[in-house]
Amino acid sequence: MIFPLIKVLKNGLLVELDYMYPQEHEVVRALLNVVIVEGKTYPQKQPLSQAEFSAYWLSKDAFVVKTSVENATHKPKEILGAFYLKPNFPGRCSHICNAGFIVKPGLRGQGIGRLMGEAMLLIAANLGYEAVMFNLVFETNIPSITLWQSLGFKIIGRIPRAAKLGDEQVVEALMMYRPLG
């Protein structure tokens, strides 16, 4: 695949999807920490330190969606969303990958998640993965469940009382799976 991938979102914004570079790590860590503090979609309870972020998000491949330089605003490119892609299991099961996604709160619903999801499926196949599995999609995360099902994921299991959200609501988590190729 050739990066960056350029796309026009449904709101007309021109964006690019590319590998995450070291100078972008802190911005993505801050965004992930915002999502963690929201307490609705990630299992972590506390913001991640740089070391914790590196171990969790940067263990294999990581990508960002950012505004394109062609927006002619002369502003620095702004990171709008990010995702990681890594084996879900070690060794004999490492052909099944896992991915995690975040989108800036004010920009959700603009097609950034769909762009990342579609790109992730292509990237994963190009990297030799044979399937994608999500271990913990909270049942209250309807936008994600809807997106993943529209991209061919099936619910393969439910984990009762898997998550205590930030508001102390206890919810099930779904396990979702999609073969590639």
Side-chain angles (χ1 to χ4, degrees):
M1 294 185 73
I2 298 172
F3 291 96
L5 304 174
I6 307 295
K7 172 97 176 184
V8 177
L9 298 179
K10 60 186 175 185
N11 65 5
L13 186 63
L14 187 64
V15 298
E16 55 187 63
L17 186 147
D18 203 352
Y19 277 97
M20 182 188 306
Y21 294 101
Q23 64 269 24
E24 297 167 328
H25 291 180
E26 192 54 34
V27 174
V28 174
R29 181 175 78 95
L31 176 56
L32 176 60
N33 283 336
V34 165
V35 173
I36 289 169
V37 169
E38 286 177 335
K40 297 177 183 176
T41 58
Y42 270 76
Q44 292 87 349
K45 284 182 115 176
Q46 302 297 322
L48 301 183
S49 68
Q50 182 59 51
E52 292 166 330
F53 171 75
S54 292
Y56 178 67
W57 199 271
L58 303 174
S59 65
K60 193 69 174 149
D61 295 299
F63 303 86
V64 295
V65 171
K66 53 192 164 189
T67 53
S68 178
V69 72
E70 297 173 39
N71 282 323
T73 59
H74 299 12
K75 292 181 187 174
K77 294 180 182 181
E78 177 187 3
I79 292 177
L80 312 175
F83 70 96
Y84 66 78
L85 184 61
K86 60 187 175 185
N88 199 34
F89 307 105
R92 298 181 196 282
C93 300
S94 62
H95 59 283
I96 301 171
C97 67
N98 177 264
F101 300 81
I102 52 175
V103 175
K104 266 182 118 167
L107 296 171
R108 295 174 186 157
Q110 300 298 313
I112 297 167
R114 177 166 294 280
L115 168 63
M116 291 191 297
E118 291 171 349
M120 178 275 297
L121 292 171
L122 293 171
I123 294 165
N126 281 336
L127 291 173
Y129 292 111
E130 296 175 19
V132 182
M133 182 175 173
F134 299 138
N135 304 315
L136 292 169
V137 181
F138 299 161
E139 68 178 346
T140 49
N141 192 351
I142 302 303
S144 287
I145 295 166
T146 302
L147 172 62
W148 301 130
Q149 287 180 322
S150 78
L151 293 176
F153 283 79
K154 303 290 183 218
I155 296 169
I156 60 167
R158 291 181 173 271
I159 305 168
R161 300 183 51 81
K164 294 178 182 174
L165 303 182
D167 63 4
E168 298 303 317
Q169 178 185 5
V170 179
V171 299
E172 287 189 357
L174 308 177
M175 297 167 53
M176 300 185 80
Y177 182 86
R178 182 187 188 277
L180 297 170

